[in-house]
Amino acid sequence: MLSFLQGFAIGLFLMCGPWFITGLFNPGLVLPDDRADRLNVFKRYLFVIPFLSFILGLTSLWGGFGPSLAGWLAGLGVLFVWVPVERRVRGFLNRRRLKKAEQQAQAELQANRAAHLKEQSTASLDLDDPAEQHDPIVRSLQRCKEQLRKVALDLAQPDRFYTRYITLQSLLAQRFESGELAMQRSQTLIQDVYGSVIHRLDRMVELQVQLNALDPAFIRRRLDDSALIGKERLALEARWTLVETSRRHLDQLKADNETALTALDTTSIALMQLQTSDPGVPDADKVMAELDRFNQRVAQYEHVTQSRKAR
C-alpha cells in the first residue's frame, strides 16, 4: 500500500507540468469551473496539487522508498478522471442551487401577489387558538382552513368569512340584548348562512382532492406529445374534460362564496347605519325589517345555487 501511494504521488506530481502548460493555453480544459482563469491554473497546478503530492509521498516513506508501477500509472491518469467528475458534480450542484433559487423566487412572487390581492382589514384565522374553538362556526372555519391548506388551495376565504363573522357578532352585541327576539333570529340566520358557506368550502376541498388525483400536469404533458395517438389519447382527453369540469365547478363555488360575502357586508353596513342613525332610540322595527330583507336575499340566493347544482 505504501509503495502504491509513493508511485501515485510521483505520477501526480509529474502530471502537474503538462496540465499547467495546457491550462495556460485553455484554462477550461484543466479546471472544472465554468469561470476558469489562469490564476486558478497557477494555484492548482503549481501550488495545491504539488503540495498534496509532496505530503502524500512524504507520509508514505515509513516503509522505505519503493514506488510501484500501478501507483505511478494511477497518479498519471487520476487527473483525467478527477477533473470531468468534479465538473459534473459542480454542474449538478450549480443546477440544483439555481433551481432552488428559482423556486424560492417563484414562491416569494406568489406570496407577494397573494399579499397584494389580500383584502384589507382581514383578520387571520388562527388554527391553533383554543380560545376560539368554543364557537362552532369558528371551529368549522378552522377545520375548513386546515383542509384547504392541506390541498394547497387559497386560504383567504375562511379568513374573510371569519372577519365578517366577528364583525357581525360585535355589531349585534352592541345593538341587541342576548334575550331579544331580533338577536335570536339574527343568530339563527347567521348560522344558516355560514352552514351553506362551510358546505361549499368542504366541497371545494373534495374537488381539489379529485383534481390532484387526476394530475392535470401529467395529462397536459401527455396530450402535448404529438406522438400520442389512439386509445390512450382518447382516454387522456376524456380525463382532461373531467379536469376542466372540476375546475369550473371549483370556480363556481368560489363565486358563490363571494356572493355570500357581499350579502354579509350588506347586512353589516345596514346594522351600522341603523345603529348610528338614531342611537338614543332603539328602532326594532327597522332592524327586523332589514333582517327580513336579508333573509329573503339569502333564501333566494340559496334557491338559485341549488337550481344550478340540479342542472
PDB file of all heavy atoms in Angstrom, residues 218-241:
ATOM      1  N   PHE A 218     -49.666  16.093 -15.549  1.00  0.00           N
ATOM      2  CA  PHE A 218     -49.268  14.897 -16.306  1.00  0.00           C
ATOM      3  C   PHE A 218     -50.126  14.738 -17.558  1.00  0.00           C
ATOM      4  O   PHE A 218     -49.621  14.451 -18.647  1.00  0.00           O
ATOM      5  CB  PHE A 218     -49.395  13.664 -15.417  1.00  0.00           C
ATOM      6  CG  PHE A 218     -49.268  12.361 -16.161  1.00  0.00           C
ATOM      7  CD1 PHE A 218     -48.025  11.901 -16.564  1.00  0.00           C
ATOM      8  CD2 PHE A 218     -50.397  11.617 -16.469  1.00  0.00           C
ATOM      9  CE1 PHE A 218     -47.905  10.698 -17.259  1.00  0.00           C
ATOM     10  CE2 PHE A 218     -50.289  10.418 -17.159  1.00  0.00           C
ATOM     11  CZ  PHE A 218     -49.040   9.968 -17.558  1.00  0.00           C
ATOM     12  N   ILE A 219     -51.435  14.941 -17.399  1.00  0.00           N
ATOM     13  CA  ILE A 219     -52.328  14.786 -18.553  1.00  0.00           C
ATOM     14  C   ILE A 219     -51.973  15.798 -19.633  1.00  0.00           C
ATOM     15  O   ILE A 219     -51.924  15.470 -20.826  1.00  0.00           O
ATOM     16  CB  ILE A 219     -53.795  14.962 -18.109  1.00  0.00           C
ATOM     17  CG1 ILE A 219     -54.169  13.889 -17.086  1.00  0.00           C
ATOM     18  CG2 ILE A 219     -54.728  14.885 -19.305  1.00  0.00           C
ATOM     19  CD1 ILE A 219     -55.547  14.053 -16.489  1.00  0.00           C
ATOM     20  N   ARG A 220     -51.694  17.043 -19.233  1.00  0.00           N
ATOM     21  CA  ARG A 220     -51.366  18.071 -20.205  1.00  0.00           C
ATOM     22  C   ARG A 220     -50.061  17.763 -20.932  1.00  0.00           C
ATOM     23  O   ARG A 220     -49.957  17.969 -22.144  1.00  0.00           O
ATOM     24  CB  ARG A 220     -51.258  19.417 -19.491  1.00  0.00           C
ATOM     25  CG  ARG A 220     -51.162  20.633 -20.382  1.00  0.00           C
ATOM     26  CD  ARG A 220     -52.451  20.875 -21.127  1.00  0.00           C
ATOM     27  NE  ARG A 220     -52.484  20.244 -22.442  1.00  0.00           N
ATOM     28  CZ  ARG A 220     -53.582  20.104 -23.168  1.00  0.00           C
ATOM     29  NH1 ARG A 220     -54.739  20.519 -22.714  1.00  0.00           N
ATOM     30  NH2 ARG A 220     -53.531  19.540 -24.359  1.00  0.00           N
ATOM     31  N   ARG A 221     -49.070  17.256 -20.176  1.00  0.00           N
ATOM     32  CA  ARG A 221     -47.798  16.892 -20.818  1.00  0.00           C
ATOM     33  C   ARG A 221     -47.993  15.775 -21.834  1.00  0.00           C
ATOM     34  O   ARG A 221     -47.417  15.814 -22.928  1.00  0.00           O
ATOM     35  CB  ARG A 221     -46.777  16.468 -19.761  1.00  0.00           C
ATOM     36  CG  ARG A 221     -46.216  17.595 -18.925  1.00  0.00           C
ATOM     37  CD  ARG A 221     -44.960  17.151 -18.210  1.00  0.00           C
ATOM     38  NE  ARG A 221     -45.158  15.963 -17.407  1.00  0.00           N
ATOM     39  CZ  ARG A 221     -45.534  15.970 -16.134  1.00  0.00           C
ATOM     40  NH1 ARG A 221     -45.737  17.124 -15.524  1.00  0.00           N
ATOM     41  NH2 ARG A 221     -45.683  14.851 -15.471  1.00  0.00           N
ATOM     42  N   ARG A 222     -48.804  14.789 -21.485  1.00  0.00           N
ATOM     43  CA  ARG A 222     -49.027  13.680 -22.407  1.00  0.00           C
ATOM     44  C   ARG A 222     -49.809  14.129 -23.640  1.00  0.00           C
ATOM     45  O   ARG A 222     -49.508  13.709 -24.756  1.00  0.00           O
ATOM     46  CB  ARG A 222     -49.777  12.553 -21.697  1.00  0.00           C
ATOM     47  CG  ARG A 222     -48.992  11.895 -20.574  1.00  0.00           C
ATOM     48  CD  ARG A 222     -47.813  11.114 -21.130  1.00  0.00           C
ATOM     49  NE  ARG A 222     -48.259   9.982 -21.939  1.00  0.00           N
ATOM     50  CZ  ARG A 222     -47.565   9.451 -22.948  1.00  0.00           C
ATOM     51  NH1 ARG A 222     -46.402   9.976 -23.293  1.00  0.00           N
ATOM     52  NH2 ARG A 222     -48.031   8.408 -23.618  1.00  0.00           N
ATOM     53  N   LEU A 223     -50.791  14.994 -23.460  1.00  0.00           N
ATOM     54  CA  LEU A 223     -51.571  15.459 -24.597  1.00  0.00           C
ATOM     55  C   LEU A 223     -50.761  16.362 -25.512  1.00  0.00           C
ATOM     56  O   LEU A 223     -51.029  16.437 -26.711  1.00  0.00           O
ATOM     57  CB  LEU A 223     -52.823  16.197 -24.111  1.00  0.00           C
ATOM     58  CG  LEU A 223     -53.913  15.331 -23.463  1.00  0.00           C
ATOM     59  CD1 LEU A 223     -55.041  16.190 -22.941  1.00  0.00           C
ATOM     60  CD2 LEU A 223     -54.450  14.301 -24.462  1.00  0.00           C
ATOM     61  N   ASP A 224     -49.776  17.049 -24.960  1.00  0.00           N
ATOM     62  CA  ASP A 224     -48.914  17.905 -25.782  1.00  0.00           C
ATOM     63  C   ASP A 224     -47.923  17.103 -26.616  1.00  0.00           C
ATOM     64  O   ASP A 224     -47.275  17.664 -27.501  1.00  0.00           O
ATOM     65  CB  ASP A 224     -48.158  18.896 -24.897  1.00  0.00           C
ATOM     66  CG  ASP A 224     -49.090  19.938 -24.293  1.00  0.00           C
ATOM     67  OD1 ASP A 224     -50.189  20.142 -24.843  1.00  0.00           O
ATOM     68  OD2 ASP A 224     -48.725  20.542 -23.263  1.00  0.00           O
ATOM     69  N   ASP A 225     -47.815  15.813 -26.326  1.00  0.00           N
ATOM     70  CA  ASP A 225     -46.919  14.948 -27.096  1.00  0.00           C
ATOM     71  C   ASP A 225     -47.596  14.571 -28.419  1.00  0.00           C
ATOM     72  O   ASP A 225     -48.621  13.872 -28.430  1.00  0.00           O
ATOM     73  CB  ASP A 225     -46.585  13.700 -26.280  1.00  0.00           C
ATOM     74  CG  ASP A 225     -45.541  12.822 -26.967  1.00  0.00           C
ATOM     75  OD1 ASP A 225     -45.046  13.218 -28.053  1.00  0.00           O
ATOM     76  OD2 ASP A 225     -45.219  11.745 -26.428  1.00  0.00           O
ATOM     77  N   SER A 226     -47.048  15.048 -29.514  1.00  0.00           N
ATOM     78  CA  SER A 226     -47.660  14.788 -30.824  1.00  0.00           C
ATOM     79  C   SER A 226     -47.612  13.313 -31.214  1.00  0.00           C
ATOM     80  O   SER A 226     -48.380  12.870 -32.077  1.00  0.00           O
ATOM     81  CB  SER A 226     -46.954  15.625 -31.894  1.00  0.00           C
ATOM     82  OG  SER A 226     -45.569  15.313 -31.943  1.00  0.00           O
ATOM     83  N   ALA A 227     -46.724  12.553 -30.572  1.00  0.00           N
ATOM     84  CA  ALA A 227     -46.616  11.129 -30.908  1.00  0.00           C
ATOM     85  C   ALA A 227     -47.711  10.293 -30.261  1.00  0.00           C
ATOM     86  O   ALA A 227     -47.860   9.116 -30.588  1.00  0.00           O
ATOM     87  CB  ALA A 227     -45.245  10.591 -30.487  1.00  0.00           C
ATOM     88  N   LEU A 228     -48.474  10.890 -29.349  1.00  0.00           N
ATOM     89  CA  LEU A 228     -49.520  10.142 -28.653  1.00  0.00           C
ATOM     90  C   LEU A 228     -50.752  10.036 -29.547  1.00  0.00           C
ATOM     91  O   LEU A 228     -51.343  11.040 -29.940  1.00  0.00           O
ATOM     92  CB  LEU A 228     -49.866  10.844 -27.340  1.00  0.00           C
ATOM     93  CG  LEU A 228     -50.893  10.143 -26.448  1.00  0.00           C
ATOM     94  CD1 LEU A 228     -50.335   8.825 -25.929  1.00  0.00           C
ATOM     95  CD2 LEU A 228     -51.296  11.048 -25.295  1.00  0.00           C
ATOM     96  N   ILE A 229     -51.171   8.829 -29.846  1.00  0.00           N
ATOM     97  CA  ILE A 229     -52.327   8.596 -30.716  1.00  0.00           C
ATOM     98  C   ILE A 229     -53.141   7.437 -30.156  1.00  0.00           C
ATOM     99  O   ILE A 229     -52.722   6.765 -29.202  1.00  0.00           O
ATOM    100  CB  ILE A 229     -51.899   8.283 -32.174  1.00  0.00           C
ATOM    101  CG1 ILE A 229     -50.982   7.053 -32.197  1.00  0.00           C
ATOM    102  CG2 ILE A 229     -51.223   9.484 -32.813  1.00  0.00           C
ATOM    103  CD1 ILE A 229     -50.614   6.618 -33.618  1.00  0.00           C
ATOM    104  N   GLY A 230     -54.300   7.218 -30.756  1.00  0.00           N
ATOM    105  CA  GLY A 230     -55.091   6.041 -30.443  1.00  0.00           C
ATOM    106  C   GLY A 230     -55.896   6.168 -29.166  1.00  0.00           C
ATOM    107  O   GLY A 230     -56.309   7.242 -28.737  1.00  0.00           O
ATOM    108  N   LYS A 231     -56.111   5.019 -28.547  1.00  0.00           N
ATOM    109  CA  LYS A 231     -56.972   4.946 -27.367  1.00  0.00           C
ATOM    110  C   LYS A 231     -56.418   5.732 -26.190  1.00  0.00           C
ATOM    111  O   LYS A 231     -57.182   6.288 -25.401  1.00  0.00           O
ATOM    112  CB  LYS A 231     -57.183   3.485 -26.971  1.00  0.00           C
ATOM    113  CG  LYS A 231     -57.978   2.668 -27.985  1.00  0.00           C
ATOM    114  CD  LYS A 231     -58.207   1.264 -27.482  1.00  0.00           C
ATOM    115  CE  LYS A 231     -59.045   0.449 -28.468  1.00  0.00           C
ATOM    116  NZ  LYS A 231     -59.278  -0.931 -27.977  1.00  0.00           N
ATOM    117  N   GLU A 232     -55.097   5.769 -26.064  1.00  0.00           N
ATOM    118  CA  GLU A 232     -54.523   6.494 -24.939  1.00  0.00           C
ATOM    119  C   GLU A 232     -54.849   7.982 -25.017  1.00  0.00           C
ATOM    120  O   GLU A 232     -55.188   8.615 -24.020  1.00  0.00           O
ATOM    121  CB  GLU A 232     -53.007   6.290 -24.889  1.00  0.00           C
ATOM    122  CG  GLU A 232     -52.357   6.930 -23.664  1.00  0.00           C
ATOM    123  CD  GLU A 232     -50.871   6.682 -23.602  1.00  0.00           C
ATOM    124  OE1 GLU A 232     -50.338   6.023 -24.517  1.00  0.00           O
ATOM    125  OE2 GLU A 232     -50.237   7.141 -22.633  1.00  0.00           O
ATOM    126  N   ARG A 233     -54.761   8.567 -26.224  1.00  0.00           N
ATOM    127  CA  ARG A 233     -55.098   9.984 -26.381  1.00  0.00           C
ATOM    128  C   ARG A 233     -56.577  10.223 -26.072  1.00  0.00           C
ATOM    129  O   ARG A 233     -56.921  11.210 -25.410  1.00  0.00           O
ATOM    130  CB  ARG A 233     -54.748  10.466 -27.784  1.00  0.00           C
ATOM    131  CG  ARG A 233     -55.194  11.893 -28.078  1.00  0.00           C
ATOM    132  CD  ARG A 233     -54.624  12.401 -29.365  1.00  0.00           C
ATOM    133  NE  ARG A 233     -53.213  12.721 -29.230  1.00  0.00           N
ATOM    134  CZ  ARG A 233     -52.739  13.867 -28.742  1.00  0.00           C
ATOM    135  NH1 ARG A 233     -53.592  14.807 -28.330  1.00  0.00           N
ATOM    136  NH2 ARG A 233     -51.452  14.086 -28.659  1.00  0.00           N
ATOM    137  N   LEU A 234     -57.440   9.340 -26.540  1.00  0.00           N
ATOM    138  CA  LEU A 234     -58.865   9.493 -26.265  1.00  0.00           C
ATOM    139  C   LEU A 234     -59.152   9.424 -24.770  1.00  0.00           C
ATOM    140  O   LEU A 234     -59.954  10.207 -24.237  1.00  0.00           O
ATOM    141  CB  LEU A 234     -59.659   8.420 -27.007  1.00  0.00           C
ATOM    142  CG  LEU A 234     -59.655   8.512 -28.539  1.00  0.00           C
ATOM    143  CD1 LEU A 234     -60.411   7.332 -29.135  1.00  0.00           C
ATOM    144  CD2 LEU A 234     -60.272   9.829 -29.001  1.00  0.00           C
ATOM    145  N   ALA A 235     -58.477   8.491 -24.091  1.00  0.00           N
ATOM    146  CA  ALA A 235     -58.680   8.363 -22.652  1.00  0.00           C
ATOM    147  C   ALA A 235     -58.187   9.605 -21.914  1.00  0.00           C
ATOM    148  O   ALA A 235     -58.850  10.110 -20.993  1.00  0.00           O
ATOM    149  CB  ALA A 235     -57.963   7.119 -22.140  1.00  0.00           C
ATOM    150  N   LEU A 236     -57.030  10.119 -22.328  1.00  0.00           N
ATOM    151  CA  LEU A 236     -56.496  11.317 -21.678  1.00  0.00           C
ATOM    152  C   LEU A 236     -57.352  12.543 -21.965  1.00  0.00           C
ATOM    153  O   LEU A 236     -57.512  13.413 -21.104  1.00  0.00           O
ATOM    154  CB  LEU A 236     -55.055  11.556 -22.129  1.00  0.00           C
ATOM    155  CG  LEU A 236     -54.027  10.553 -21.595  1.00  0.00           C
ATOM    156  CD1 LEU A 236     -52.669  10.789 -22.241  1.00  0.00           C
ATOM    157  CD2 LEU A 236     -53.910  10.648 -20.078  1.00  0.00           C
ATOM    158  N   GLU A 237     -57.903  12.630 -23.169  1.00  0.00           N
ATOM    159  CA  GLU A 237     -58.799  13.745 -23.474  1.00  0.00           C
ATOM    160  C   GLU A 237     -60.063  13.687 -22.616  1.00  0.00           C
ATOM    161  O   GLU A 237     -60.571  14.730 -22.181  1.00  0.00           O
ATOM    162  CB  GLU A 237     -59.156  13.717 -24.960  1.00  0.00           C
ATOM    163  CG  GLU A 237     -58.003  14.125 -25.867  1.00  0.00           C
ATOM    164  CD  GLU A 237     -58.359  14.002 -27.339  1.00  0.00           C
ATOM    165  OE1 GLU A 237     -59.420  13.404 -27.632  1.00  0.00           O
ATOM    166  OE2 GLU A 237     -57.589  14.495 -28.193  1.00  0.00           O
ATOM    167  N   ALA A 238     -60.569  12.473 -22.380  1.00  0.00           N
ATOM    168  CA  ALA A 238     -61.736  12.333 -21.510  1.00  0.00           C
ATOM    169  C   ALA A 238     -61.395  12.762 -20.082  1.00  0.00           C
ATOM    170  O   ALA A 238     -62.198  13.434 -19.408  1.00  0.00           O
ATOM    171  CB  ALA A 238     -62.240  10.889 -21.540  1.00  0.00           C
ATOM    172  N   ARG A 239     -60.199  12.380 -19.609  1.00  0.00           N
ATOM    173  CA  ARG A 239     -59.786  12.796 -18.269  1.00  0.00           C
ATOM    174  C   ARG A 239     -59.583  14.299 -18.203  1.00  0.00           C
ATOM    175  O   ARG A 239     -59.870  14.929 -17.187  1.00  0.00           O
ATOM    176  CB  ARG A 239     -58.504  12.057 -17.872  1.00  0.00           C
ATOM    177  CG  ARG A 239     -58.743  10.591 -17.539  1.00  0.00           C
ATOM    178  CD  ARG A 239     -57.456   9.807 -17.488  1.00  0.00           C
ATOM    179  NE  ARG A 239     -56.555  10.312 -16.469  1.00  0.00           N
ATOM    180  CZ  ARG A 239     -55.303   9.875 -16.313  1.00  0.00           C
ATOM    181  NH1 ARG A 239     -54.837   8.933 -17.139  1.00  0.00           N
ATOM    182  NH2 ARG A 239     -54.538  10.347 -15.356  1.00  0.00           N
ATOM    183  N   TRP A 240     -59.080  14.897 -19.286  1.00  0.00           N
ATOM    184  CA  TRP A 240     -58.898  16.348 -19.298  1.00  0.00           C
ATOM    185  C   TRP A 240     -60.250  17.069 -19.248  1.00  0.00           C
ATOM    186  O   TRP A 240     -60.360  18.149 -18.642  1.00  0.00           O
ATOM    187  CB  TRP A 240     -58.117  16.771 -20.522  1.00  0.00           C
ATOM    188  CG  TRP A 240     -57.789  18.231 -20.516  1.00  0.00           C
ATOM    189  CD1 TRP A 240     -58.325  19.211 -21.280  1.00  0.00           C
ATOM    190  CD2 TRP A 240     -56.833  18.880 -19.663  1.00  0.00           C
ATOM    191  NE1 TRP A 240     -57.781  20.429 -20.969  1.00  0.00           N
ATOM    192  CE2 TRP A 240     -56.856  20.250 -19.981  1.00  0.00           C
ATOM    193  CE3 TRP A 240     -55.965  18.417 -18.673  1.00  0.00           C
ATOM    194  CZ2 TRP A 240     -56.040  21.178 -19.341  1.00  0.00           C
ATOM    195  CZ3 TRP A 240     -55.149  19.335 -18.031  1.00  0.00           C
ATOM    196  CH2 TRP A 240     -55.195  20.697 -18.357  1.00  0.00           C
ATOM    197  N   THR A 241     -61.271  16.479 -19.851  1.00  0.00           N
ATOM    198  CA  THR A 241     -62.614  17.040 -19.745  1.00  0.00           C
ATOM    199  C   THR A 241     -63.092  17.038 -18.301  1.00  0.00           C
ATOM    200  O   THR A 241     -63.718  18.001 -17.832  1.00  0.00           O
ATOM    201  CB  THR A 241     -63.590  16.235 -20.628  1.00  0.00           C
ATOM    202  OG1 THR A 241     -63.129  16.265 -21.983  1.00  0.00           O
ATOM    203  CG2 THR A 241     -64.988  16.810 -20.554  1.00  0.00           C
TER     204      THR A 241
END
